Amino acid sequence: MLFLAMKQLFSKKTQTFLILMGVSFGTMLFVSISGVQLGLREYMIKALLNNTAHIIISGAENEITEKEVRSQIYPEGRFINWITPPGGKRDESKLESYLGWVEILRANPDVYDFSPRFSTNVIIKSKKIKTNVNLVGSLPKKQIRISEISDYIIEGDFESLSSGGNKIVLGVGVAEDLGVSLGQFVDVLNAFGKITPFKIVGLSKFGDTRTDSALAFAHLSDVQKVNRTPGRLSEIAVSLTDIDKSEELAELWSSFSKDKVQDWRSANAMFMEMIKMQDIVRYFIMFSVLIVAAFGIYNVLSIMINQKKKEIAILRSIGFPPKKILILILYQGFFLGICGGVVGLAMGSLVTYGVGSIDIGVELGGSNHIFVSYDYSIYLSAFIAALFASLVASLIPAYMASRMTPIDIIRGQA
Amino acid sequence: MIIGKNIVKEFGDPPHRILHDLSFVIQDGEFVSISGRSGSGKSTLLYIISSLDFPSSGQVLFDDEDTSLMSVEHIHEFRTNHVGFIFQFHYLLPELTGLENVLLPPRNIDRVDEFRDRALELLKTMDVSKVADKLPSQMSGGEQQRVAIARALIMKPKYLFADEPTGNLDSANGEVVMNILKSINKERGTTLCLVTHEEEYAAMAQREIYLIDGRMSERG
């Protein structure tokens, strides 16, 4: 039947080519739109994970509750109508047991690596210019392993922080504000006004002006010293081997610890909503385009069946059963789906490559091109969708053709 | 042997009777013509005899086997292996060459290679070897009909049914086709059932079934 199906398809070359193009363009659009959207998403997630991590373990908020105040003042449990209920924080949040977490994280095979961090707000000063910065202290080698931070260093080297000794990586915006460059020194002022000189060993650029103008990195122990809180940690950033397990593990660890354990998705719920919206739009576009292509296939096959009625009658009178007629038409739909899909994938990948080559004139994450994705899942879902649409579109004409009896057609022709 | 028993065929609602209680026997190897005026029901009768259609009532028996009781698979297998059809309008598949058209019935049972030599031989017998690699659009009407006859004969059918095979041909080509059909019946012993409105060709048969308004008037 494949032989006959191909003969029929190629006897109408223009018609076949046009419908093939319809399927191909649908597939191409989906691949290229998805490539750009997913590329952007990958970039945004990467950028996001540099500031956060798959899972962040931080100290729980130490808040004063109305209940504990009431039990202290009125232990007999009287009803109190507060004019202003007691509240506020008892102390700043601290990670309770770093070593306990180290033990848990090392024992878990899903944990790729983790990095203890301590962040504090400082003022960085150069000559008379000052700027407020969030100074993040980490163990540089571990930080490099759990994030893509190295990709965002546009000058110098993040690993230079490893040896400690008051070295700093400044956000490019901070450096611009202070008018400093690589190799120069800046003064870091803590909350007590104490100045510590730091040498600039790198400049980072995340592409977000607010981040780049308010972020700096140093070695963990240097930041702890600046803040006069040796040994204190604000958080542990955890990287997993499978990012999709972040929610499950965060929930598990939360269940046995007072510390706050948050996965990156719940920490960025709004961002995830945006991604969901993007996905909906992407699938809507694919659905619409493929519906149009499917209607094209349906029309072509229906017209073809009308034109080939007498040939179907001949095949039936020769002894071809309805099942074979059904297969004959389905093969044609299948062929249109496979070929249209493959051509569409190739065209889509070329368009994606073309879009990815566009120079946007801004260097982000080590590249100054539009971020695109060539993830296999895009190509797989586009191909499956093209094939599915083609098969569904050819099913009705195929069924119609298989129901034709030779005698009805012959009488119709007479 | 084909036996027709009390065949009635009605169409439409309210039913309009086309064939009225027809009974007949066609012996193996016989050449029978069905003739009559336009609208007399001759093509309808041929389609019923040949298993392409079924009677509203009555029976058609092929060697005592009732076609209306055959399963769908069996009737298709029966048509492929035992029945050959020739239509007035040739009905060749336009995208296939002459040889590929002849090989259509073997293709249905995936035995194309096995029948290739026979197909070429049949085309030679029909004197249309030269169109083996040509498309129907590149053939004359006579050539197309001869290719259609070769296709009908490829499976060595026991029964050959022809519905006005000369109806779309000029007289010279019509005569060639009729001579071929007659020789097939004579030399191969194929039972031949021919529908024609031309008296000359009807008279070539051993027996003639003449229909008047769906009623039989046998002569021959």
Side-chain angles (χ1 to χ4, degrees):
Chain A
M1 295 313 289
L2 191 62
F3 170 81
L4 282 180
M6 293 304 108
K7 282 278 185 181
Q8 287 196 337
L9 266 181
F10 287 104
S11 67
K12 304 259 180 203
K13 287 193 185 73
T14 316
Q15 215 173 45
T16 304
F17 176 75
L18 284 176
I19 197 62
L20 207 72
M21 282 296 101
V23 180
S24 300
F25 276 119
T27 314
M28 180 199 80
L29 269 178
F30 177 70
V31 167
S32 45
I33 290 172
S34 298
V36 173
Q37 279 191 345
L38 286 188
L40 183 67
R41 181 203 293 193
E42 277 167 18
Y43 161 71
M44 287 168 82
I45 289 175
K46 233 163 76 175
L48 203 70
L49 290 176
N50 278 321
N51 294 331
T52 159
H54 294 167
I55 294 176
I56 292 283
I57 304 167
S58 54
E61 299 294 348
N62 204 349
E63 285 175 347
I64 298 163
T65 63
E66 182 267 343
K67 197 177 168 187
E68 63 182 309
V69 173
R70 187 177 50 185
S71 65
Q72 292 287 321
I73 303 172
Y74 300 106
E76 66 277 18
R78 265 171 61 181
F79 173 77
I80 303 164
N81 188 14
W82 299 94
I83 295 169
T84 308
K89 287 185 181 177
R90 181 173 290 110
D91 196 358
E92 54 184 307
S93 58
K94 291 178 207 164
L95 200 62
E96 291 298 329
S97 167
Y98 173 64
L99 291 177
W101 280 116
V102 169
E103 209 170 300
I104 291 165
L105 297 174
R106 279 196 180 143
N108 195 317
D110 290 323
V111 174
Y112 173 65
D113 207 345
F114 58 93
S115 172
R117 297 201 293 220
F118 177 65
S119 306
T120 186
N121 289 321
V122 295
I123 294 169
I124 298 184
K125 189 181 146 201
S126 174
K127 292 171 192 142
K128 288 184 178 175
I129 309 165
K130 292 176 187 171
T131 185
N132 287 315
V133 166
N134 179 30
L135 183 61
V136 179
S138 66
L139 300 175
K141 282 185 180 162
K142 280 197 167 256
Q143 186 61 27
I144 287 169
R145 269 172 66 79
I146 67 153
S147 69
E148 310 279 337
I149 183 77
S150 304
D151 291 349
Y152 297 89
I153 303 298
I154 55 166
E155 274 185 65
D157 186 4
F158 193 79
E159 215 175 330
S160 302
L161 298 175
S162 301
S163 54
N166 295 353
K167 290 171 187 159
I168 196 166
V169 170
L170 294 180
V172 71
V174 178
E176 272 170 22
D177 289 347
L178 296 173
V180 292
S181 57
L182 198 71
Q184 290 186 317
F185 282 84
V186 287
D187 290 331
V188 174
L189 277 83
N190 67 6
F192 312 102
K194 195 194 168 226
I195 297 173
T196 312
F198 272 75
K199 186 184 180 186
I200 304 167
V201 293
L203 296 177
S204 66
K205 186 176 183 179
F206 292 98
D208 172 23
T209 317
R210 277 189 299 180
T211 306
D212 291 336
S213 303
L215 194 63
F217 298 93
H219 193 279
L220 178 65
S221 58
D222 289 343
V223 181
Q224 287 168 336
K225 266 186 247 165
V226 164
N227 201 52
R228 292 186 185 175
T229 49
R232 180 177 291 184
L233 295 175
S234 36
E235 60 193 24
I236 304 170
V238 184
S239 173
L240 304 174
T241 48
D242 180 2
I243 190 169
D244 292 330
K245 285 192 175 169
S246 55
E247 201 176 339
E248 176 196 332
L249 284 172
E251 205 172 309
L252 174 74
W253 293 340
S254 292
S255 65
F256 57 71
S257 172
K258 275 185 182 173
D259 289 328
K260 185 177 165 191
V261 184
Q262 198 172 30
D263 71 283
W264 71 282
R265 284 178 207 271
S266 48
N268 299 282
M270 215 169 117
F271 175 73
M272 297 315 292
E273 281 299 312
M274 201 175 76
I275 282 181
K276 209 184 271 179
M277 284 295 291
Q278 263 190 356
D279 276 348
I280 292 170
V281 170
R282 191 157 58 93
Y283 283 110
F284 178 75
I285 291 170
M286 177 180 80
F287 185 71
S288 313
V289 171
L290 286 176
I291 284 253
V292 173
F295 266 108
I297 294 175
Y298 171 80
N299 279 334
V300 166
L301 290 179
S302 297
I303 292 166
M304 188 201 77
I305 286 162
N306 264 323
Q307 289 169 342
K308 293 192 178 296
K309 266 183 178 175
K310 66 174 186 179
E311 293 170 35
I312 291 167
I314 276 295
L315 293 173
R316 293 294 312 278
S317 67
I318 284 170
F320 282 72
K323 201 171 86 183
K324 283 199 173 177
I325 304 295
L326 185 94
I327 290 169
L328 175 74
I329 309 298
L330 282 182
Y331 268 149
Q332 298 183 38
F334 197 64
F335 175 84
L336 288 169
I338 287 188
C339 292
V342 168
V343 172
L345 294 186
M347 284 161 61
S349 111
L350 277 176
V351 171
T352 309
Y353 179 78
V355 172
S357 309
I358 296 171
D359 190 339
I360 49 173
V362 182
E363 193 173 324
L364 297 174
S367 164
N368 52 358
H369 297 293
I370 290 180
F371 291 93
V372 291
S373 170
Y374 295 98
D375 193 277
Y376 80 96
S377 66
I378 299 172
Y379 292 80
L380 189 67
S381 49
F383 186 70
I384 289 172
L387 204 59
F388 180 73
S390 307
L391 277 179
V392 168
S394 52
L395 205 59
I396 299 168
Y399 180 72
M400 271 158 43
S402 73
R403 299 286 293 172
M404 288 177 180
T405 65
I407 205 67
D408 288 340
I409 302 168
I410 290 164
R411 281 206 190 99
Q413 303 271 318
Chain B
M1 183 168 60
I2 306 169
I3 301 171
K5 283 186 185 172
N6 308 108
I7 292 171
V8 170
K9 184 69 179 177
E10 291 171 339
F11 288 110
D13 189 19
H16 173 61
R17 191 165 285 197
I18 303 293
L19 299 176
H20 298 262
D21 200 26
L22 304 182
S23 295
F24 52 85
V25 175
I26 300 172
Q27 297 294 342
D28 286 347
E30 202 178 358
F31 175 8
V32 176
S33 70
I34 303 170
S35 57
R37 283 187 181 174
S38 183
S40 59
K42 51 188 187 298
S43 289
T44 303
L45 178 61
L46 184 83
Y47 297 145
I48 288 172
I49 299 174
S50 63
S51 81
L52 275 187
D53 200 3
F54 300 96
S56 305
S57 68
Q59 285 178 301
V60 176
L61 306 169
F62 279 89
D63 296 332
D64 296 329
E65 199 172 2
D66 190 341
T67 53
S68 60
L69 299 178
M70 285 181 186
S71 66
V72 177
E73 290 78 19
H74 189 184
I75 200 117
H76 288 112
E77 185 269 334
F78 175 76
R79 278 185 204 155
T80 304
N81 293 308
H82 303 292
V83 177
F85 289 97
I86 303 161
F87 297 93
Q88 181 181 352
F89 295 103
H90 329 312
Y91 284 172
L92 297 180
L93 266 58
E95 55 273 355
L96 302 187
T97 63
L99 180 64
E100 287 166 347
N101 264 293
V102 176
L103 285 168
L104 264 179
R107 192 171 292 285
N108 186 28
I109 49 171
D110 299 321
R111 288 167 66 186
V112 171
D113 290 336
E114 203 180 309
F115 280 83
R116 193 174 296 275
D117 289 342
R118 179 171 162 74
L120 289 167
E121 190 191 308
L122 278 168
L123 287 173
K124 199 175 167 188
T125 310
M126 303 294 153
D127 198 22
V128 281
S129 296
K130 60 182 179 192
V131 300
D133 296 324
K134 286 186 178 170
L135 294 173
S137 56
Q138 298 165 308
M139 300 175 197
S140 70
E143 285 170 336
Q144 286 187 41
Q145 192 59 297
R146 277 181 275 166
V147 171
I149 295 171
R151 183 179 63 193
L153 294 175
I154 185 78
M155 300 303 291
K156 298 181 186 169
K158 194 173 172 185
Y159 309 101
L160 188 59
F161 298 97
D163 185 13
E164 304 261 19
T166 59
N168 211 26
L169 301 176
D170 57 35
S171 58
N173 270 311
E175 205 163 305
V176 171
V177 165
M178 277 312 298
N179 287 334
I180 290 170
L181 291 176
K182 203 172 172 190
S183 72
I184 290 164
N185 166 252
K186 213 172 209 178
E187 288 161 23
R188 299 169 196 243
T190 308
T191 307
L192 176 61
C193 230
L194 169 82
V195 164
T196 181
H197 64 272
E198 292 184 59
E199 283 184 19
E200 184 195 344
Y201 297 146
M204 287 168 86
Q206 293 159 331
R207 189 154 56 92
E208 186 182 352
I209 297 174
Y210 191 77
L211 292 181
I212 301 170
D213 296 332
R215 289 186 174 82
M216 207 156 69
S217 159
E218 201 165 328
R219 61 190 183 190

